[in-house]
Amino acid sequence: MKVDQYPFAQELITDTEGNIKKVIIDFPDYLRLLEAIEDEGLILAMQEVQHETPLNLNEVLLELEKQ
């Protein structure tokens, strides 16, 4: 495998059989990837509750007291 086949990859670390075991990327690229993963998680969480009825502050406090 060649590094130019992988976006962000600066270097590939392989085992003796040529299987990729680690990828070295620049720190700013790592932060961008991390942010993209977090954004996707937020989107999925928002989609999960999009049909729920929102609670007001007093309702939330009552729910928390029950736990």
Side-chain angles (χ1 to χ4, degrees):
M1 293 282 164
K2 296 182 180 181
V3 172
D4 60 357
Q5 295 175 325
Y6 298 93
F8 305 112
Q10 299 299 310
E11 183 179 343
L12 301 175
I13 299 174
T14 59
D15 60 15
T16 55
E17 297 171 358
N19 299 312
I20 298 171
K21 294 297 180 183
K22 296 181 181 186
V23 177
I24 297 176
I25 64 173
D26 289 331
F27 189 66
D29 290 337
Y30 167 76
L31 292 176
R32 287 193 347 228
L33 288 170
L34 188 60
E35 185 177 343
I37 292 168
E38 290 171 345
D39 288 348
E40 182 180 3
L42 178 59
I43 290 168
L44 293 173
M46 290 169 61
Q47 288 175 343
E48 189 174 311
V49 297
Q50 71 183 0
H51 299 295
E52 292 184 11
T53 304
L55 302 175
N56 64 39
L57 179 60
N58 290 331
E59 293 169 328
V60 170
L61 294 174
L62 287 173
E63 287 295 319
L64 290 174
E65 287 179 9
K66 292 179 185 177
Q67 295 179 1

